[in-house]
Amino acid sequence: MQNRYETVIGLEVHVELATKTKIFCGCSTAFGGAKNAHTCPVCLGLPGALPSLNQKAVEYALAVGIAAGCEITKQTRFDRKNYFYPDNPQNYQISQLYFPICRNGKIEIETESGETKWVRIHEIHMEDDAGKLRHDERGNVSLIDYNRSGAPLIEIVSMPDMRSGEQAVEYLKKLRLMIQYLGVSDCKLQEGSMRADVNLSVRKKGETSYGVRTEMKNLSSMKAVLRAVRHETNRQISLLEAGKTVAQETRRWDDAKGCSYSMRSKEEAKDYRYFPEPDLPSVEISDEWIFRIKQKQPEFRTEKMIRYQKEYHLPEYDAAVLTEHKKLADFFEAATAICGKPKKVSNWLMGETMRLLNERAMEPDQLSFSPKHLAELIDLTESGVISNSLAKEVFEMVFANDVSPSSYVEENGLKTVDDTQELQKIIKRVLEQNPKSVQDYLGGKKKAIGFLVGQTMKATQGRAEPARTRELLEESLLKLS
């Protein structure tokens, strides 16, 4: 049944810009804090309070538009989007309908079959965020925190060019990575600084007209987007197959239950009674201003991958993994600049670092230890101060607590046993305690030395260098033969 239908998807992605203050007032945009602490008459919508546009927010929006290949609207302005909702203290939102700051861009994605395609961007517009409702089920009440009210947002509206949940997720990942590289938002879905609304319809394959679309609001994870697309696709196909019609409506996705439910009928622009914002003048964007923003554009992932292979002689695979997260790329470059060992840094980041991140269900953005301490650990290992096995143990402490590896090794007596006489005494004791393994080795079972190496390493608490230990064991066993 599904094979006869095609899914058509467009995304509206809200990105909270990383300015220090809100878009129309001087209140802090810091995440968290006491409820309603980051507020003033402007972001609370009190009578007589007038907005003043944050220039940095405009520059951040321009940076995203330029990176996405958009046309820049030279004279942009704001409009009032009128609606009532408890977390919207003004009873309207300041947005951009008629003259959005950016139009007609595109993002390249890779499809499930490995082919590339362009997802067109219809527009990018600026607006202020609403507050946040906090539902108290026990008290059967809803409380409002206005700290987020007035935070600067851009809304990136795509064309309906995606055909599956996988393509929607790939588009979101590409968009998020581009914005993170620009440094204009952290795009932390778990904190709400990046949210996606999914517009979806289905049609029979071969048809060119669109079906009736629904909108699912505020999806806050890649997994939720994928699940929501699959569920809504199946729901609409089931309705059509049963001879019913799909209602044009806004739906809420419940990720815990794995289903969506209707919120309200889908509004059109006329329902919001848009009109030009009377308290804000239009914004003139000059060619010189656009040029200055272009000059500040960073090195993006593709360019970094090429440079890492040429400058640091990394394999293509390493370069791809390291640049997939801006935090990893920045960390790699900082640690390499200190120790001068790019491949070693890459191995530690792709190996032990990714292992610990996965075990703790963390994202690379959450790394809290310093590049200096990773570089220090690499130097300790390369110079033989600690063994490779002990280095992994020390790294777990560095990862969790950002301790100095040198200090930790010194304080815990973890330096490699490099005194030959001391190591020979330990080996002699190991041989005396394991006569069967000694006889096995002397009788031709050469693999028995592996057990003896292990026992010696255990006796030294991993502080002996394995190759040197094996060499001294062979010498001692030769003397017994």
Side-chain angles (χ1 to χ4, degrees):
M1 181 174 69
Q2 278 192 340
N3 293 335
R4 297 194 296 118
Y5 289 88
E6 178 180 57
T7 308
V8 179
I9 302 166
L11 296 182
E12 298 171 13
V13 181
H14 295 82
V15 176
E16 186 174 311
L17 301 176
T19 56
K20 292 181 180 179
T21 57
K22 297 182 180 181
I23 188 169
F24 298 124
C25 68
C27 290
S28 171
T29 56
F31 180 74
K35 307 298 183 291
N36 297 304
H38 303 157
T39 57
C40 72
V42 174
C43 55
L44 287 176
L46 299 184
L50 295 175
S52 179
L53 180 60
N54 185 332
Q55 180 177 323
K56 182 61 72 174
V58 177
E59 292 180 350
Y60 282 176
L62 285 172
V64 175
I66 290 168
C70 291
E71 301 167 7
I72 305 302
T73 306
K74 295 295 186 67
Q75 187 174 44
T76 185
R77 76 180 191 203
F78 290 88
D79 306 288
R80 285 193 183 181
K81 179 181 181 181
N82 294 276
Y83 68 96
F84 172 77
Y85 206 65
D87 61 5
N88 180 24
Q90 300 155 305
N91 291 334
Y92 61 84
Q93 181 184 35
I94 300 177
S95 184
Q96 293 184 312
L97 175 68
Y98 301 108
F99 296 94
I101 191 167
C102 308
R103 305 174 192 261
N104 303 326
K106 58 184 179 179
I107 297 289
E108 187 178 38
I109 67 168
E110 187 174 297
T111 66
E112 300 92 315
S113 63
E115 299 176 348
T116 59
K117 68 179 290 186
W118 291 99
V119 175
R120 294 167 295 162
I121 292 175
H122 177 264
E123 67 176 54
I124 300 175
H125 60 260
M126 303 178 66
E127 58 191 22
D128 57 347
D129 206 350
K132 187 171 184 179
L133 281 172
R134 299 181 180 274
H135 304 292
D136 184 348
E137 301 294 341
R138 293 170 300 177
N140 196 29
V141 296
S142 293
L143 306 174
I144 307 174
D145 180 5
Y146 287 118
N147 277 345
R148 197 176 67 183
S149 179
L153 296 179
I154 53 172
E155 182 173 343
I156 305 167
V157 183
S158 84
M159 297 294 283
D161 290 343
M162 290 157 277
R163 296 294 178 265
S164 67
E166 287 78 9
Q167 290 182 22
V169 168
E170 176 70 7
Y171 168 77
L172 282 172
K173 286 181 177 179
K174 286 289 184 74
L175 199 59
R176 180 176 66 175
L177 191 59
M178 181 188 79
I179 292 170
Q180 287 175 334
Y181 266 93
L182 285 166
V184 305
S185 176
D186 56 25
C187 292
K188 292 181 179 178
L189 282 83
Q190 70 275 16
E191 292 183 5
S193 56
M194 184 177 188
R195 313 189 290 275
D197 298 343
V198 177
N199 290 280
L200 185 150
S201 65
V202 298
R203 63 186 178 189
K204 288 186 177 178
K205 288 183 177 177
E207 291 183 351
T208 55
S209 58
Y210 295 128
V212 177
R213 67 186 171 95
T214 61
E215 180 182 30
M216 286 178 287
K217 300 289 287 185
N218 291 336
L219 296 166
S220 57
S221 73
M222 303 293 180
K223 179 182 175 183
V225 169
L226 191 61
R227 296 180 70 203
V229 166
R230 289 173 178 170
H231 179 275
E232 182 61 13
T233 298
N234 291 334
R235 190 188 73 85
Q236 291 191 20
I237 290 174
S238 296
L239 286 172
L240 295 175
E241 286 291 306
K244 300 178 182 179
T245 58
V246 176
Q248 184 169 326
E249 62 185 352
T250 299
R251 301 181 67 83
R252 176 75 70 183
W253 172 252
D254 188 326
D255 201 44
K257 296 180 180 178
C259 64
S260 63
Y261 57 91
S262 179
M263 290 175 61
R264 57 181 181 267
S265 61
K266 176 63 181 168
E267 301 90 343
E268 302 293 345
K270 61 182 175 60
D271 298 315
Y272 290 115
R273 305 182 312 282
Y274 279 95
F275 62 84
E277 169 55 55
D279 293 330
L280 286 167
S282 60
V283 181
E284 301 283 344
I285 300 175
S286 65
D287 290 335
E288 291 76 15
W289 197 2
I290 295 172
F291 177 77
R292 288 200 304 272
I293 301 298
K294 283 183 177 179
Q295 291 298 101
K296 294 178 182 177
Q297 294 276 291
E299 179 185 46
F300 289 105
R301 187 191 184 196
T302 303
E303 292 78 21
K304 272 192 186 295
M305 283 182 63
I306 295 170
R307 181 168 66 83
Y308 283 10
Q309 293 173 72
K310 288 183 177 179
E311 182 178 334
Y312 299 118
H313 307 292
L314 291 180
E316 182 181 355
Y317 178 77
D318 291 39
V321 172
L322 293 173
T323 56
E324 193 171 2
H325 298 275
K326 184 176 185 295
K327 180 68 177 269
L328 276 185
D330 291 343
F331 198 105
F332 165 76
E333 293 189 28
T336 298
I338 297 169
C339 70
K341 301 178 179 70
K343 182 56 179 166
K344 295 293 182 182
V345 174
S346 175
N347 290 345
W348 276 97
L349 289 176
M350 295 196 312
E352 289 303 296
T353 302
M354 296 304 293
R355 177 181 70 81
L356 292 174
L357 285 172
N358 290 333
E359 285 180 3
R360 290 160 172 75
M362 294 169 59
E363 293 291 326
D365 289 342
Q366 296 172 275
L367 286 177
S368 58
F369 67 97
S370 69
K372 174 186 174 184
H373 287 157
L374 177 58
E376 189 179 312
L377 180 64
I378 290 171
D379 285 339
L380 289 174
T381 309
E382 291 297 294
S383 61
V385 174
I386 57 173
S387 65
N388 287 322
S389 58
L390 268 178
K392 293 181 180 180
E393 180 183 319
V394 174
F395 179 71
E396 294 211 13
M397 293 300 298
V398 173
F399 182 95
N401 303 306
D402 197 25
V403 298
S404 164
S406 298
S407 299
Y408 184 80
V409 166
E410 190 68 39
E411 292 166 5
N412 291 275
L414 298 178
K415 283 186 177 180
T416 299
V417 178
D418 56 5
D419 185 322
T420 300
Q421 288 186 337
E422 182 184 350
L423 190 53
Q424 285 174 331
K425 288 179 183 178
I426 296 171
I427 288 174
K428 181 181 179 183
R429 195 160 61 244
V430 168
L431 295 179
E432 290 172 349
Q433 293 170 350
N434 297 277
K436 185 177 184 308
S437 295
V438 172
Q439 289 304 315
D440 287 346
Y441 179 83
L442 295 177
K445 296 180 180 179
K446 299 304 181 184
K447 289 184 178 180
I449 197 170
F451 174 78
L452 295 171
V453 170
Q455 291 301 301
T456 307
M457 295 299 294
K458 183 178 179 181
T460 62
Q461 296 181 316
R463 295 184 297 119
E465 204 282 312
R468 179 61 175 156
T469 298
R470 187 184 186 93
E471 181 183 332
L472 291 175
L473 267 168
E474 288 174 342
E475 290 178 4
S476 297
L477 288 165
L478 186 61
K479 292 176 183 179
L480 295 176
S481 60

